Amino acid sequence: MSLCPCGSGLAFENCCQPVLENPIQARTALQLMRARYTAYVMHRMDFVLSSTHPDTRDAADQEAMESWSHAATWTGLEIISPGSQHSAGDDRIEFKAYFQVQNVPQVHHERSLFRHDQGQWWFVDGQDIYSGPLEKRRPYVKEQHTGRNDPCPCGSGKKFKKCCA
């Protein structure tokens, strides 16, 4: 028994595998979302595309998704907002997918829209909140050093050594 890559804590066979084999098995948008993450981990772009709503499927860039899937080492999934967990209608799920590219930790933070239509859940669209390095690089700022004979930074007009030193 191996744990499911989606991080649910369940065995793969009892979690995402049934949905990957038949998307209609997803009873909630969250189940479909977890299966889509697992599909990226397993490089199953066929599932990612087939679980995208037919009305928005043409906008999907399969080549880019495939490239991203293979370039990344997927390290985890964090569900920020699991949605309403209803079995019908529209649902929004916010998540962070963690991965590494060339040993640099990355995160993809997204709010996704799912729709129950034609008897099954579909991914409709995703709003990218942040994608990039896990820790944003901070700019280097050189410390300013005030010399004894420089004007005091307090604005008094006196030399630093006679004022705030």
Side-chain angles (χ1 to χ4, degrees):
M1 173 188 94
S2 61
L3 291 178
C4 192
C6 78
S8 67
L10 300 173
F12 173 66
E13 299 79 26
N14 299 326
C15 190
C16 289
Q17 184 178 15
V19 179
L20 287 170
E21 291 173 0
N22 183 3
I24 203 162
Q25 296 288 335
R27 293 183 308 277
T28 64
L30 182 59
Q31 278 186 316
L32 181 61
M33 202 242 77
R34 286 183 175 281
R36 286 174 60 87
Y37 170 82
T38 298
Y40 273 98
V41 172
M42 300 176 125
H43 316 298
R44 293 273 316 270
M45 294 306 103
D46 59 321
F47 178 81
V48 173
L49 283 174
S50 70
S51 62
T52 300
H53 196 280
D55 292 348
T56 59
R57 193 174 295 157
D58 289 342
D61 185 345
Q62 182 176 0
E63 200 172 295
M65 292 186 310
E66 186 84 36
S67 176
W68 186 36
S69 170
H70 284 283
T73 302
W74 300 91
T75 57
L77 175 67
E78 177 185 1
I79 305 300
I80 307 296
S81 173
S84 64
Q85 299 298 294
H86 293 298
S87 58
D90 285 0
D91 209 351
R92 290 198 181 275
I93 297 172
E94 185 175 339
F95 68 92
K96 290 181 180 179
Y98 297 94
F99 58 100
Q100 289 187 358
V101 174
Q102 297 177 347
N103 293 323
V104 176
Q106 309 270 328
V107 64
H108 175 74
H109 186 177
E110 181 177 303
R111 191 173 298 120
S112 295
L113 174 64
F114 292 85
R115 178 168 295 141
H116 193 266
D117 188 23
Q118 304 169 22
Q120 76 178 71
W121 280 102
W122 303 90
F123 168 78
V124 177
D125 194 14
Q127 175 192 6
D128 190 20
I129 296 170
Y130 174 76
S131 271
L134 198 52
E135 275 193 38
K136 293 182 184 177
R137 294 189 176 142
R138 297 186 179 114
Y140 174 75
V141 179
K142 184 178 176 183
E143 287 186 33
Q144 184 176 358
H145 178 72
T146 306
R148 291 177 38 85
N149 290 317
D150 291 337
C152 190
C154 76
S156 67
K158 297 179 183 178
K159 288 185 178 183
F160 180 65
K161 67 182 177 185
K162 298 278 187 182
C163 189
C164 293

